[in-house]
Amino acid sequence: MKLGNAAKAILFCVIAVLLYRHLYKVLSWKDTGGDYRSAMDTFYSLEENVVDVAFLGSSHCYSSIITAELWEQYGMAAYNLSISGQDMASSYYCMKELLKTQKPAVICLEMYYSSLEGYQVKGNLYRNLLGYRFSDNFAKAVDSIAEDAEKRDILLKWPIIHTRYAELTERDFRPEPEMRLYMGWEQGFSWMDGLGELPVYAGEESWRIPEETEQWLTEIIALAREADVELCFFLAPFWADEWTQMQYRYAEGIADANGVPFLNMIALQEELQLDTARDFSDTGHTNSYGAQKVTKYMGEYLTSHYGLKDRRGESQYRLWDENLAMWKRQLQNQELKETVDLKLYLDRISRLDGYTAILVTRGQYLAGDVESLSENLANLGIGEAFFRTEGAWVLESGTLRYEGARESCFYHMGINHSDIVIREDGEQIHVIIDRQEYKRADQGIDIVLYDQVLGKVVDTVGFGAAGDNYTCVR
């Protein structure tokens, strides 16, 4: 049967649309919070009216609020729709997008950008605009925020994203669990030494914020009133000079005049029990240790002021349960990364579920009390062969799956979408996972830990044999 011209045209359009949708999904901008994670993508997957507390703001917001802990401690259905560099204009349109499908009891706006205006980094402009679905709100956001010369390209999206073909990775085709479960908060455990005490402005004088920023702040307050949603302003702790803090004092005056609470966590640092030697990744952001303290304070404040429901156990909140389980694994992985004692490390991995651990001995690898070490190894199913020659051992969830001496060592396995190869080349044993080799100690014991749930290597550590002791090498 021959198709008529009209039918051919329709068929062509259908194929073109399907092809475009597939290509767009691959090439789309997948980064609002860093490392291929998009709070907008996950947001659009939510059922309607499940968010009771929404957070908006820039990286200062997503680095300081851990929604998984709000869920665990209070049963709070919170979602963090903050995006890198989100200024007040972007917060306004993001809030409008949120209110299309959600009716939170309170929206918490982080106020770092109340002293700033516009975008200093082009990537942040894209992060804040390209994640929207096509709609009238998206068009208005582009018209308000983007420069005239780039409005058309951002509206069409394709002129910007098509160039990503050269940087595509497997994650563009197959999202990792941390991407799928991303709820707008960013875990990170590195810390900055020497930050010192955060200065606190104690004066009464204020300094006016940029006029356009003030207008958008006023629009946000009006939008909340129109939607009958409570607002709560908060300023995440960071190092700010006196002039900047005077601007925040001005923003606080706007909040006071409109009956909106303003939680200045720079001034609350003692109450938060912040440790500036441990709780900050840089001068501008808390790490996850600091975020736990900020989150605890916010959780108690929100619970006591807004009569929020405990949603734990309700079927439509499975995403929050999964997000918490992921956070627990991230905390567990970090505990291992901070473990520098070999026997303690072996004890901890013997009790892990859902992990693959690879132990490799190299050179003169024995040191110290061999008898006590054998007890730790026995808990992993590793026997006396460990002490006779170099070799490799593979454990899954604490159960021994493979052991081999160096001379005959070869093992291959697939986990999730990862490929693991252990082999010797006549000189040493190589551990290769997804074409990347992992090695730490030249003389000692190497341990590579693969998280089967997160689908990636989460720790690589060596314990170098030096006399009577093992020295941790990372």
Side-chain angles (χ1 to χ4, degrees):
M1 181 181 69
K2 293 185 177 181
L3 294 175
N5 290 336
K8 289 179 181 179
I10 293 172
L11 181 61
F12 174 82
C13 291
V14 169
I15 293 173
V17 169
L18 292 174
L19 182 61
Y20 176 85
R21 289 183 63 183
H22 179 72
L23 289 174
Y24 180 78
K25 185 176 181 181
V26 173
L27 291 167
S28 64
W29 194 282
K30 301 178 183 67
D31 184 345
T32 63
D35 197 26
Y36 269 72
R37 298 170 187 174
S38 172
M40 292 294 281
D41 277 354
T42 312
F43 167 73
Y44 284 125
S45 73
L46 297 177
E47 295 182 28
E48 292 192 7
N49 297 320
V50 292
V51 175
D52 290 332
V53 179
F55 288 89
L56 298 173
S58 67
S59 58
H60 286 242
C61 185
Y62 68 62
S63 66
S64 63
I65 297 295
I66 304 173
T67 55
E69 299 222 340
L70 293 174
W71 178 251
E72 180 182 31
Q73 300 299 325
Y74 310 98
M76 191 181 298
Y79 194 88
N80 202 334
L81 202 51
S82 53
I83 299 173
S84 291
Q86 188 181 95
D87 68 353
M88 288 297 154
S90 292
S91 291
Y92 171 80
Y93 286 105
C94 207
M95 183 173 165
K96 289 195 74 172
E97 196 73 7
L98 168 80
L99 292 171
K100 288 181 182 180
T101 57
Q102 306 297 326
K103 182 63 184 295
V106 57
I107 294 175
C108 301
L109 177 63
E110 204 285 318
M111 297 296 285
Y112 170 73
Y113 253 83
S114 64
S115 67
L116 301 171
E117 180 181 6
Y119 287 93
Q120 290 74 46
V121 179
K122 184 67 68 176
N124 285 340
L125 174 69
Y126 294 157
R127 288 184 175 96
N128 277 273
L129 290 176
L130 294 179
Y132 282 88
R133 288 180 174 174
F134 291 104
S135 67
D136 181 60
N137 187 51
F138 168 55
K140 289 179 178 177
V142 173
D143 186 56
S144 297
I145 298 168
E147 298 290 337
D148 288 341
E150 56 191 353
K151 287 179 181 178
R152 176 180 171 275
D153 285 353
I154 295 176
L155 279 171
L156 294 175
K157 297 188 182 183
W158 192 259
I160 295 172
I161 67 167
H162 82 278
T163 58
R164 287 196 64 245
Y165 71 90
E167 61 188 44
L168 294 178
T169 70
E170 184 177 354
R171 292 186 293 180
D172 288 290
F173 299 88
R174 187 183 295 115
E176 297 171 347
E178 287 171 301
M179 294 170 66
R180 181 178 64 82
L181 298 174
Y182 184 64
M183 297 180 71
W185 55 271
E186 186 72 15
Q187 63 90 18
F189 296 94
S190 63
W191 61 82
M192 176 184 181
D193 293 325
L195 179 60
E197 185 177 351
L198 302 182
V200 179
Y201 174 62
E204 294 298 324
E205 187 178 356
S206 63
W207 192 275
R208 187 170 186 177
I209 62 178
E211 183 177 354
E212 186 173 340
T213 298
E214 183 174 351
Q215 291 173 353
W216 283 115
L217 194 54
T218 302
E219 292 288 342
I220 289 171
I221 294 170
L223 179 59
R225 285 175 178 162
E226 180 184 341
D228 192 26
V229 172
E230 295 282 353
L231 269 181
C232 176
F233 294 164
F234 75 104
L235 181 65
F238 77 106
W239 197 99
D241 59 28
E242 182 177 285
W243 180 76
T244 301
Q245 292 194 55
M246 289 169 66
Q247 289 183 294
Y248 292 135
R249 182 64 57 83
Y250 184 91
E252 185 175 359
I254 295 174
D256 289 342
N258 287 277
V260 178
F262 188 108
L263 308 178
N264 185 339
M265 294 185 180
I266 298 175
L268 292 169
Q269 60 185 289
E270 289 187 12
E271 190 170 344
L272 292 169
Q273 297 183 330
L274 288 173
D275 178 2
T276 56
R278 173 77 170 175
D279 293 338
F280 288 82
S281 59
D282 53 42
T283 59
H285 305 85
T286 57
N287 56 27
S288 290
Y289 304 113
Q292 286 178 310
K293 297 175 180 179
V294 173
T295 300
K296 183 176 185 294
Y297 184 93
M298 284 297 296
E300 293 176 354
Y301 180 88
L302 293 170
T303 300
S304 63
H305 284 78
Y306 297 99
L308 301 168
K309 294 181 180 179
D310 184 339
R311 301 292 190 178
R312 287 171 291 190
E314 297 186 28
S315 61
Q316 62 267 48
Y317 293 92
R318 289 188 298 273
L319 180 65
W320 277 261
D321 288 328
E322 292 181 61
N323 186 256
L324 175 58
M326 181 188 71
W327 171 234
K328 290 295 187 182
R329 293 190 83 84
Q330 290 171 331
L331 285 173
Q332 184 170 256
N333 295 340
Q334 182 60 26
E335 181 182 50
L336 286 162
K337 288 179 181 179
E338 295 184 13
T339 302
V340 297
D341 179 81
L342 172 60
K343 295 174 185 177
L344 180 57
Y345 199 101
L346 292 173
D347 177 62
R348 285 177 171 166
I349 65 174
S350 71
R351 293 181 276 110
L352 294 180
D353 185 45
Y355 290 80
T356 296
I358 302 168
L359 278 71
V360 176
T361 54
R362 307 182 191 278
Q364 300 299 319
Y365 60 90
L366 294 177
D369 185 357
V370 172
E371 183 175 345
S372 64
L373 180 60
S374 66
E375 295 176 6
N376 294 104
L377 292 170
N379 291 332
L380 294 166
I382 300 176
E384 291 302 315
F386 180 89
F387 299 96
R388 291 197 292 267
T389 183
E390 294 176 62
W393 291 259
V394 178
L395 303 105
E396 288 191 21
S397 300
T399 300
L400 184 64
R401 296 300 185 194
Y402 170 81
E403 63 178 337
R406 192 195 77 185
E407 291 76 10
S408 59
C409 182
F410 181 82
Y411 186 74
H412 173 262
M413 66 186 301
I415 306 176
N416 299 329
H417 300 289
S418 292
D419 188 69
I420 299 176
V421 176
I422 305 167
R423 63 174 179 83
E424 65 87 27
D425 63 358
E427 295 183 1
Q428 64 175 317
I429 296 173
H430 300 271
V431 178
I432 302 169
I433 302 177
D434 295 332
R435 299 181 296 279
Q436 180 176 341
E437 183 164 4
Y438 293 87
K439 180 184 176 182
R440 288 293 183 267
D442 292 322
Q443 305 282 328
I445 302 169
D446 270 357
I447 302 175
V448 182
L449 192 65
Y450 182 95
D451 189 327
Q452 297 169 4
V453 174
L454 299 186
K456 64 181 181 180
V457 173
V458 292
D459 195 21
T460 308
V461 59
F463 293 94
D468 292 333
N469 299 299
Y470 284 101
T471 303
C472 184
V473 182
R474 291 192 179 277

